[in-house]
Amino acid sequence: MLQRPRRNRQSAVIRSMVEENRLSVKDMMFPLFVMEGQNTQTEISSMPGIYRFTLDLLLAEIESCVKLGIQSFALFPQIPESKKDSMATESYKKGNIYTESIYEISKRFPEISLLTDVAMDPYSSDGHDGIVKDGQILNDETLPVLAKMAIAQAQAGSKLIGPSDMMDGRVGYLRQALDEAGYSQVGIMAYTVKYASAFYGPFRDALESAPKFGDKKTYQMNPANRREALIEAELDEMEGADFLMVKPALAYLDIIALLKENSHLPIAAYNVSGEYAMVKAAAQNGWIDGEKAMLESLLSIKRAGAQVILTYFAKEFAQLKLA
């Protein structure tokens, strides 16, 4: 036999030499949750090891993560029900917990990258990503609300926004609104291919933002569709996106690879809450080796083509000091 692939697997050193993909903490973006109050953190029961923090403790958490080498974070707010309304006005109200957090984080840690979330659902009394009228999610009427939100975040210091709403045309609308407001330097990491997935449950627990009626299938993508992802990617690229994101990651590795092959923009992938929770639950029951499953899962996302991995495993990975 002229070729014996096992020759390149016979020792750890050789396996490392021929390794095609390697994980680094620099690949990771760590999602964080902020809530109102002081000196409080609460563990999210469906996401073991992940917490909501008040701003004072959130700053301490970010500092500890930076010391581990984590350089990128994504921030999401838990908004009290009393501050939610049908137009998500809290999202751009001066001094709200989210913009205050962006300001303080940006001032304290100017060296990090902070992705800020542009979507109505954390602030909406309907729990949807768009304005609701007669049971329908209104697309074009939602865009001005998203623009107000994006500008408020830019004013607070955000340099990278993440429209996660899946309204048609929102990337172009936000790009124009930001440019006209003097924030042409603010980048857009578009949630380009966001599927109507069953893997978002723990995240909605974290934000208490589940839809009050129906589901999100009229604006999030059908999990059965692959080619449609190219339509979304082409539109976001033409409208001015700086990154394209696939969400979720593990169940959609083929979509990550598809976008990687068809776009020159950086590809991000969101290793979502349900994917995290499954590994944690199985590990707690002794059914799998949690650390090895984490590393294999993250590696598969990178191998598929993601340059940025949003993952709740980021801190745990960084603590291993592997890269």
Side-chain angles (χ1 to χ4, degrees), residues 11-268:
S11 74
V13 173
I14 293 176
R15 289 194 297 272
S16 179
M17 285 171 55
V18 301
E19 203 167 53
E20 296 176 28
N21 293 279
R22 294 179 182 176
L23 287 169
S24 166
V25 70
K26 294 179 181 179
D27 302 326
M28 313 291 173
M29 180 178 283
F30 190 23
L32 296 169
F33 300 102
V34 67
M35 63 181 180
E36 295 186 348
Q38 286 190 334
N39 196 34
T40 303
Q41 67 179 60
T42 57
E43 188 172 26
I44 300 160
S45 60
S46 54
M47 299 175 69
I50 301 299
Y51 297 82
R52 304 183 195 93
F53 296 95
T54 53
L55 178 55
D56 52 346
L57 296 187
L58 180 67
L59 294 171
E61 173 70 0
I62 292 173
E63 183 175 11
S64 71
C65 290
V66 169
K67 289 178 180 177
L68 290 170
I70 300 173
Q71 300 174 331
S72 299
F73 301 85
L75 185 63
F76 300 94
Q78 184 203 34
I79 304 299
E81 200 67 31
S82 62
K83 293 187 176 181
K84 298 180 182 183
D85 60 35
S86 62
M87 297 297 290
T89 56
E90 181 68 17
S91 67
Y92 51 86
K93 191 174 292 183
K94 189 175 179 61
N96 69 41
I97 182 59
Y98 196 58
T99 54
E100 180 186 355
S101 299
I102 294 167
Y103 175 77
E104 292 296 335
I105 293 168
S106 300
K107 183 174 68 172
R108 177 95 169 260
F109 305 100
E111 73 279 13
I112 71 168
S113 175
L114 181 67
L115 177 69
T116 60
D117 186 55
V118 176
M120 284 183 60
D121 57 331
Y123 313 88
S124 168
S125 52
D126 296 300
H128 276 284
D129 296 74
I131 295 171
V132 178
K133 184 177 181 180
D134 299 328
Q136 300 296 313
I137 313 301
L138 304 182
N139 192 96
D140 295 3
E141 292 84 348
T142 296
L143 302 184
V145 177
L146 301 178
K148 290 178 183 178
M149 198 183 308
I151 291 169
Q153 293 173 13
Q155 289 172 338
S158 177
K159 297 296 189 293
L160 184 64
I161 64 165
S164 60
D165 56 286
M166 288 301 286
M167 296 297 111
D168 290 340
R170 92 278 201 205
V171 171
Y173 195 96
L174 295 178
R175 181 72 276 157
Q176 182 176 349
L178 288 167
D179 290 352
E180 290 177 353
Y183 296 106
S184 59
Q185 82 282 6
V186 174
I188 298 177
M189 180 180 283
Y191 284 62
T192 296
V193 185
K194 182 177 180 180
Y195 284 92
S197 172
F199 291 103
Y200 302 149
F203 178 90
R204 292 173 182 169
D205 290 344
L207 296 191
E208 298 178 343
S209 63
K212 298 298 192 295
F213 69 91
D215 53 40
K216 300 190 176 187
K217 292 181 179 179
T218 66
Y219 47 100
Q220 295 179 356
M221 277 183 56
N222 184 341
N225 291 355
R226 186 171 187 268
R227 290 185 300 170
E228 186 183 5
L230 293 176
I231 297 173
E232 293 284 2
E234 183 178 2
L235 287 169
D236 284 357
E237 193 162 346
M238 287 192 307
E239 291 176 23
D242 300 289
F243 293 79
L244 306 179
M245 188 195 298
V246 177
K247 181 182 179 183
L250 289 177
Y252 300 91
L253 296 175
D254 61 319
I255 307 302
I256 298 171
L258 183 66
L259 263 60
K260 181 68 172 179
E261 292 167 3
N262 286 277
S263 176
H264 295 298
L265 291 180
I267 307 301

